[in-house]
Amino acid sequence: MDDPRANMEGNNLLGLGAPHLDWSKTPGRVPGFWVSVVSVVLAVLLPFPALFAALIGLSLSLRAYGVIPAGARGRGLVLASLALSGTAILAVGVRLVLIFL
């Protein structure tokens, strides 16, 4: 089949006004980041509330991570949120282990 419309390579649809996808409004992207930041701050002061906040931030970030494709704008905030949540969980775990030793 030699249909010229089937050739997607170099068809310049974005130049003709095709809409750009906006990933900034992905559910859980921004709230997940801020909850993760709060969990890192709480990990220093209160380990158990920090663990709950980190798990909430992790779940929100994982929801956004599953929606935003690789290389899309806005994915860096989700990756930072996942890293912050992981750091908070690790900090709470280390703190609990040190308390019980």
Side-chain angles (χ1 to χ4, degrees), residues 33-44:
F33 175 75
W34 286 114
V35 171
S36 298
V37 169
V38 167
S39 70
V40 169
V41 172
L42 283 177
V44 175

Side-chain angles (χ1 to χ4, degrees), residues 7 37 48 56 71 73 87:
N7 184 11
V37 169
F48 291 112
I56 291 170
R73 184 177 170 165
T87 302

Side-chain angles (χ1 to χ4, degrees), residues 24-72:
S24 64
K25 294 179 179 37
T26 303
R29 180 178 159 266
V30 175
F33 175 75
W34 286 114
V35 171
S36 298
V37 169
V38 167
S39 70
V40 169
V41 172
L42 283 177
V44 175
L45 305 172
L46 305 165
F48 291 112
L51 185 62
F52 292 123
L55 292 175
I56 291 170
L58 186 67
S59 68
L60 289 170
S61 300
L62 283 175
R63 183 183 308 160
Y65 183 78
V67 173
I68 299 174

